[in-house]
Every structure is written in structure tokens, then in C-alpha cells.
Amino acid sequence: MNISPPIALIAELTHRCPLQCPYCSNPLDLLGLARERDTAFWINVIDEAAELGVLQLHLTGGEPCLRADLAVLVAHAAARGIYVNLITSAVVLDEAKLRALAEAGLGHVQISIQGAQADAADRIGHYRGGHEKKLGLARLVPGLGMSLTINAVVHRQNLDELPAIIALAASMGADRLEVAHVQYHGWALRNRDALMPDRAAFEAADRVVAEQRTALRGQMVIDYVVPDYYAQKPKTCMGGWGQRVMTMAPDGSVLPCHAAQSIPGLVFERAGERPLRAIWEEGAAFTAFRGTGWMREPCASCPAREQDWGGCRCQAMALTGDAANTDPVCHLSPLHERVTETAMVAAQSGVTDFIYRRL
Amino acid sequence: MSAMAAISAASSPALRRGVRQHFDTVRGAPILQAPERVVVLDDIALAIIELCDGRTSIAAMSEILAARFAGEAAEVEADVLAFIGELADKGLVSA
């Protein structure tokens, strides 16, 4: 099999974060400051990634702006011709830091919001005053020549605010709004009962997005991540396992996706201990589910096997107990009914309290 | 009232902020770099992008391209309009 180089490197520089969102995509077992890697490590990773063919770097966390060397890393990647995206909560940023990042060559800033109303949003992020800070910082981004994306994770406790969230993003001059239904891995899986919308709410959200896409055409793009549990077809997770994206944890572990550590038995190598190219092309974690050779039925003979690549391995693990099963979101999975049922039970649970993400 | 800017032959498209043209030495291809998006460009697409300076109209772009690629002016203009429309929908150019 001919292995294409990765398009993107998602670098989780730290797991530290001032926010405690209950759907955080970080693993439950968070790494502390002592496990983080130094500037020289990340500079070396960027060099190896550029040589391998990485075109996009996503600096994320945790909160990447807690790293004092952020602008140094941005400048180094930009000088190597890599496009740099910053994924941030923005609460520890200020105008001077933002300006320094723009001057270092940052192309795109993605700022998360937890809702449209300060009180409700701050409750979800568990950080008082966060919402107002975010809005203040977001408004500065376009003027500094960088593209602005607002990211809003939506769920049962904020989905009714969706029209207001869209209007808010447009009013801030965002070039793009990402409306993402919660993906149930890690902390989100733990909080599933408090987050899962019912089918009616999800269908209403679909209609709002479709209408607003038309209304805002040419001004703001809306990207929409659908809720898996109510889908009939699985998502093409990560563009195919080990095909487009490489993720790196704060300790330098190289992962095929940010949730891959939820799959028992996979061994993750660390950058610096073996060339990144070898980890990507031959590493056991990357070859485990690359391509179609690992597939069972109904995937193995499915005409869509090279479009969806069997869906999400971590979801197959979480919902069926075996990562090599067909993603049960797929209507062809023998376990599909169980997913729909799980969603309906969670949506009716009445749970409103969150288990907040903590290091 | 839709916010959609009607794109016509009189529009002068420009790359939106944060969108950059770049040559990928690993794949040996010109590309457009944008937020969480990479577009690989062929020769004609690259020529169009290089004319997206916010001053050159699509009509003028089409004349230049028709001469350069020995094409029919009206046909080239239709192609350029379609391509710019596609890029605008993806948020890569403003027109």
C-alpha cells in the first residue's frame, strides 16, 4: 500500500486549561505540566513534520496559549511553509499576545464559545467571565489580518441558543463558524446523559444551520459536525485512520487520533525516539487500522469501505467493546439499534449536572 | 435579504484574510492554504488565484487567461465565474 504523507499535525501542546468543559476531547487521564515537552522538542517535531509533508499545524491543548513559547513555535512553522491554526479558548490571551502571534505568521485563530449568553456559557466552561473575554479577543482577530473561526460545541443544554450563537459569530466578523455536536469520547462520554439532545432538537438544529448557511452565504461559512448517534452513516473519521492526520499528545506520543488512547492494546511511539516518517508509515498504532485489511463484515465487502473507512474506531470501541467492529453508527452494523436506543435513553435522563474536566 | 455578494464579471475577487498561496515542495504542486483546508491547484487554477488581487475584474482576468491558454473568451469567463463562486462558498475569496 502506498502511504501518502499526512496533511495535518494536531499538536496538543499541553493538557492544562483554565476551562473545564464537560465535553473536552482530551483523555480522562490528563497529563500534568511535568509531562510536557520543551521548546526544542516541538521545534524538532515541526522540522520533521515539514520534511514529511505536513501542510497544516493545529496548535491546541488544553489551552495552547498557556505555553510561553507559542509565538516561537508559530514563527518556526510558518518559516517552514506550514500553515498554522491556533485552537484556543482565548481567556488567557490579550491584544499584545495576539499581535505577536499575527506577526509570527499565524494564519487562523479558532476561538471556542460555550453558548450565546454569558451566564449559561460560563457555567458550561466553569470559568466566570470567560464568555466576555472571548468575545473581546475574537473581535480583534480580523483586524490583525488573521482568519477568525468561532467554534461552538452544541448539546442539549445550549442547542436552543443556536440561532443566537450564529448571529453572535456573524456580528464578530467571523469568517467561519463551526457548529459541532458533541462527539462522545473521553469527558463527553462521561457526561453523555447531561449532553445528549433528543432527535427533535437535533432535527431543529439541522434546519437552523441550513437556513443560516443560505442567509450568510458569501459572508460567513458554517461548518456543521452532525451528532453521530442520530446518523445512519458513519463519519469518515480523521479522513481515514493514518491517512491524513497525525496527532501528538503533550508528552510527544504520536497518535492516529486524539482519542486513540481509549483503544486498549495500541502502542504509541514518541517523537524524538524514532523518525516521525517511520512512526507514520510503519508504526504499529498507525498500521493497525489503516486501509481496509483490518475490516470485518459488513465493512469488508461494503462498496463504501474506501469512502468512510469503516467510520470511527474509538466509537466502535466505546459502543461495542471492540475497535475492529463496524462503527455502530452505520445502519448496516448489527448493533446500530443499540446506538439509537442509547441516545434516546441519555436524552431523556433528566441529568443536568456536569462532571467537569479536571487535571 | 441575503448577505450573498452577487458575483459577476464586474467583481474583483481577492483572497480572504488568512488565505495564502504556497508551493508544496513535497507534493510538487501549488496549493492554497486556508483555515483547516488545503486546495491543490492546477495551472489554470493557479493563474486565476494569482489574478485575485482585489483590483482585476473577472472580465479582465478572463481576457488575460483566454490569451494565455488560447481559450474562447466567453467560455473562459464562465469557467472563472464558476471557480470563483466555488472558492467564495468555501470562504477562500471575497468578491
Side-chain angles (χ1 to χ4, degrees):
Chain A
M1 178 172 179
N2 185 28
I3 298 160
S4 305
I7 303 281
L9 170 64
I10 300 173
E12 294 176 348
L13 298 176
T14 177
H15 278 162
R16 291 175 290 138
C17 186
L19 267 63
Q20 301 182 338
C21 304
Y23 44 73
C24 181
S25 64
N26 288 159
L28 296 172
D29 191 10
L30 294 164
L31 302 172
L33 178 62
R35 302 285 297 280
E36 290 182 18
R37 306 304 295 261
D38 63 9
T39 309
F41 171 87
W42 287 108
I43 292 282
N44 187 52
V45 162
I46 290 166
D47 285 337
E48 279 197 80
E51 280 152 32
L52 184 53
V54 164
L55 298 171
Q56 297 246 333
L57 175 64
H58 304 265
L59 295 174
T60 183
E63 175 46 66
C65 298
L66 290 174
R67 294 272 309 204
D69 56 1
L70 191 63
V72 173
L73 300 180
V74 169
H76 192 76
R80 297 291 314 240
I82 297 178
Y83 190 88
V84 190
N85 305 273
L86 176 67
I87 292 103
T88 179
S89 69
V91 299
V92 298
L93 273 174
D94 58 35
E95 187 169 357
K97 285 181 188 163
L98 202 56
R99 191 175 294 278
L101 291 168
E103 283 165 5
L106 185 63
H108 170 219
V109 183
Q110 176 177 310
I111 296 178
S112 63
I113 57 172
Q114 281 67 39
Q117 311 281 340
D119 285 351
D122 289 348
R123 174 187 164 254
I124 293 164
H126 213 217
Y127 185 90
R128 197 181 299 270
H131 187 71
E132 284 306 316
K133 263 188 174 172
K134 287 160 180 276
L135 302 193
L137 262 296
R139 289 193 174 96
L140 297 173
V141 172
L144 292 168
M146 297 179 289
S147 185
L148 172 66
T149 294
I150 297 295
N151 167 278
V153 173
V154 292
H155 46 80
R156 189 169 81 236
Q157 300 201 40
N158 71 358
L159 207 44
D160 59 337
E161 289 187 21
L162 183 55
I165 288 171
I166 296 172
L168 181 60
S171 78
M172 287 190 286
D175 301 281
R176 182 168 157 264
L177 168 67
E178 191 175 273
V179 176
H181 282 272
V182 170
Q183 304 291 303
Y184 293 98
H185 306 291
W187 292 89
L189 188 58
R190 182 169 280 193
N191 281 290
R192 190 169 61 189
D193 284 348
L195 295 167
M196 184 70 73
D198 62 23
R199 191 181 284 275
F202 141 64
E203 284 170 356
D206 268 11
R207 285 193 296 275
V208 169
V209 168
E211 281 164 22
Q212 292 301 309
R213 269 184 173 156
T214 306
L216 294 164
R217 195 168 165 211
Q219 180 192 336
M220 183 175 82
V221 172
I222 304 178
D223 283 338
Y224 187 49
V225 179
V226 300
D228 272 354
Y229 283 49
Y230 290 116
Q232 290 297 310
K233 291 180 180 175
K235 61 177 180 280
T236 308
C237 199
M238 307 307 283
W241 183 277
Q243 297 197 48
R244 297 178 61 84
V245 183
M246 177 186 260
T247 297
M248 218 169 280
D251 66 353
S253 298
V254 191
L255 316 173
C257 89
H258 59 266
Q261 285 159 320
S262 67
I263 300 177
L266 289 183
V267 177
F268 304 104
E269 297 174 86
R270 272 198 274 189
E273 293 171 9
R274 195 183 178 197
L276 212 47
R277 180 184 300 277
I279 296 176
W280 171 258
E281 291 179 353
E282 305 159 18
F286 282 86
T287 54
F289 300 111
R290 181 183 276 140
T292 56
W294 59 273
M295 288 179 178
R296 298 172 185 161
E297 294 298 347
C299 287
S301 63
C302 180
R305 66 187 178 276
E306 292 194 352
Q307 277 105 58
D308 60 35
W309 301 102
C312 173
R313 295 304 88 227
C314 303
Q315 190 145 270
M317 182 68 225
L319 297 178
T320 77
D322 188 337
N325 280 337
T326 293
D327 183 340
V329 161
C330 183
H331 67 107
L332 296 171
S333 162
L335 301 168
H336 179 67
E337 294 305 314
R338 193 196 288 180
V339 177
T340 317
E341 207 181 287
T342 301
M344 290 191 312
V345 170
Q348 304 303 328
S349 70
V351 172
T352 54
D353 286 350
F354 295 128
I355 301 161
Y356 287 108
R357 168 215 202 268
R358 278 202 180 91
L359 212 121
Chain B
M1 176 68 194
S2 162
M4 175 175 61
I7 299 170
S8 71
S11 311
S12 300
L15 294 186
R16 282 186 79 133
R17 57 186 168 237
V19 180
R20 297 165 190 174
Q21 192 232 305
H22 176 72
F23 188 83
D24 172 20
T25 51
V26 171
R27 294 166 190 79
I31 56 170
L32 210 53
Q33 288 274 45
E36 299 184 20
R37 199 190 277 278
V38 176
V39 182
V40 179
L41 304 170
D42 59 21
D43 287 352
I44 295 174
L46 174 63
I48 296 172
I49 293 298
E50 285 173 342
L51 290 167
C52 285
D53 55 10
R55 295 185 304 274
T56 310
S57 70
I58 288 179
M61 284 166 80
S62 304
E63 276 178 38
I64 295 166
L65 294 165
R68 186 170 154 195
F69 292 97
E72 185 71 42
E75 215 172 283
V76 171
E77 190 172 288
D79 288 350
V80 175
L81 274 168
F83 183 60
I84 295 294
E86 219 176 277
L87 293 178
D89 281 348
K90 291 178 181 165
L92 305 181
V93 303
S94 48

